[in-house]
């Protein structure tokens, strides 16, 4: 839900009252990180790789090197993605994510999914 919100979904849905305190703290921390970069994310032209609902489904929203890359997967696996736009340094990322820069300043991201889920990488 939070990853979709960051990409422009503009809302959180589901049984929010059943979220445990640890989940609320995790969501709060992720939203604070998003707020730090929301202006760039909002200005960025969206880039998508993979079909909606596919695995992986990758969304890039980088503006002058700042923003987010969100990778969804419905399966276990290791995926590599090279951003279309230059990316700044990694500000924060999910577990099992590695990012380096290529000669053009784009991020070369490798993610490992041990189960279905989402990976978020913030750049600044």
């Amino acid at each position: 839900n939070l990853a979709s919100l960051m990409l422009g979904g503009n809302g959180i849905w589901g049984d929010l009252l059943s979220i445990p305190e640890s989940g609320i703290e995790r969501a709060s921390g992720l939203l604070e990180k998003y707020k730090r970069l929301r202006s760039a994310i909002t200005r960025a032209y969206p880039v998508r790789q993979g079909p909606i609902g596919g695995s992986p489904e990758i969304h890039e929203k980088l503006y002058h090197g700042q923003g987010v890359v969100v990778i969804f997967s419905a399966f276990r696996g290791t995926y590599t993605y090279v951003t279309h736009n230059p990316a700044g340094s990694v500000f924060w990322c999910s577990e099992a994510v590695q990012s380096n820069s290529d000669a053009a300043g784009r991020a070369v991201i490798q993610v490992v999914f041990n189960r279905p889920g989402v990976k978020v990488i913030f750049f600044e």
Side-chain angles (χ1 to χ4, degrees):
N1 281 331
L2 294 175
S4 294
L5 175 134
M6 291 184 283
L7 294 171
N10 299 321
I12 300 174
W13 54 93
D15 186 5
L16 301 178
L17 295 176
S18 69
I19 298 173
E21 186 66 32
S22 62
I24 292 170
E25 290 174 14
R26 181 174 170 222
S28 176
L30 193 58
L31 286 172
E32 285 300 315
K33 292 169 183 61
Y34 161 73
K35 287 178 185 179
R36 182 169 164 171
L37 298 166
R38 70 179 166 217
S39 179
I41 293 169
T42 301
R43 289 180 166 191
Y45 188 82
V47 175
R48 188 187 83 231
Q49 180 175 306
I52 301 295
S55 288
E57 176 187 340
I58 304 170
H59 296 267
E60 172 185 330
K61 293 197 76 183
L62 296 172
Y63 182 78
H64 296 289
Q66 295 185 326
V68 68
V69 173
V70 176
I71 304 173
F72 298 94
S73 180
F75 303 102
R76 292 176 52 134
T78 300
Y79 306 104
T80 300
Y81 175 71
V82 179
T83 61
H84 287 52
N85 298 294
S89 60
V90 172
F91 160 57
W92 181 89
C93 63
S94 300
E95 291 181 14
V97 174
Q98 293 182 356
S99 179
N100 298 300
S101 296
D102 68 8
R106 300 173 302 178
V108 179
I109 302 166
Q110 185 175 50
V111 297
V112 177
F113 286 90
N114 293 321
R115 63 181 189 278
V118 63
K119 304 290 185 183
V120 178
I121 305 99
F122 289 115
F123 294 93
E124 65 177 2

